[in-house]
Amino acid sequence: MDDSSERGHGGHHAHIAPTGPAADAAHTGHGGRSAHAADPAPAGAAWGTAVRATLHCLTGCAIGEILGMVIGTALAWGNVQTMVLAITLAFLFGYSFTLFAVVRSGLPLKAAVKVALAADTVSIAVMELVDNAVIALTPGAMDAHLGDGLFWAALLGGFAVAFAVTTPINKWMIGRGKGHAVVHAHH
């Protein structure tokens, strides 16, 4: 038995599968189809790839979000204005990390922008939704100041939860040739 059969359902797509009645019986999860050539989805992404893609995205989001919170707090803005700035900067920094890497690899700016948007939009949106929900739902966090431990605990806790939620989404998307998989073609 080769090692690909031990990697679960997605791992066996890497080898040539037998055909015939025995194969049909063994592949009931394919809706009775035995021919793998008809499977439209690739085998899937490794967890390590998804973790690296999510950390890449989280880094840009965290820089933008923290900068937005610091600016909004320093300017004595209200919660809504500060969150809008933080989310906007999270998207800006999240996209810019990918954009600069893809432009550096030689892709023209217009094409690089399209790649960054395709690669990062879902990841950043999910991350920001989850992170800001954690902050908004943490009692007292919205009124905490930069010097308060609660401010940083809610923010960092939100990042941790966002990472945990976004990583499997990135894995699913990369495994289907979407999200950060678009970037890998240009590295």
Side-chain angles (χ1 to χ4, degrees), residues 2 4-5 8-20 22-44:
D2 69 39
S4 65
S5 65
H9 180 77
H12 74 263
H13 287 265
H15 72 279
I16 305 291
T19 58
D24 289 341
H27 288 93
T28 56
H30 290 279
R33 294 178 292 126
S34 63
H36 284 258
D39 282 350

Side-chain angles (χ1 to χ4, degrees), residues 43-129:
W47 279 106
T49 301
V51 166
R52 284 188 299 279
T54 307
L55 284 173
H56 172 88
C57 189
L58 179 62
T59 302
C61 289
I63 290 170
E65 184 141 346
I66 291 169
L67 184 60
M69 296 287 191
V70 168
I71 291 170
T73 301
L75 296 175
W77 286 359
N79 290 337
V80 172
Q81 296 91 340
T82 300
M83 282 189 110
V84 167
L85 177 63
I87 292 167
T88 301
L89 291 177
F91 272 91
L92 180 69
F93 277 86
Y95 286 137
S96 69
F97 275 33
T98 298
L99 182 66
F100 292 138
V102 175
V103 166
R104 194 172 36 243
S105 75
L107 203 63
L109 183 61
K110 185 175 180 181
V113 168
K114 290 178 182 178
V115 167
L117 291 172
D120 293 334
T121 299
V122 171
S123 184
I124 295 171
V126 170
M127 208 167 285
E128 285 303 300
L129 177 70

Side-chain angles (χ1 to χ4, degrees), residues 122-181:
V122 171
S123 184
I124 295 171
V126 170
M127 208 167 285
E128 285 303 300
L129 177 70
V130 171
D131 174 50
N132 284 288
V134 169
I135 293 169
L137 296 173
T138 300
M142 294 296 292
D143 296 321
H145 298 281
L146 294 175
D148 297 338
L150 178 60
F151 171 84
W152 294 104
L155 186 63
L156 296 176
F159 289 150
V161 173
F163 176 81
V165 170
T166 307
T167 300
I169 293 170
N170 280 337
K171 182 182 185 309
W172 181 83
M173 289 178 56
I174 293 167
R176 280 145 188 80
K178 300 187 183 316
H180 283 268

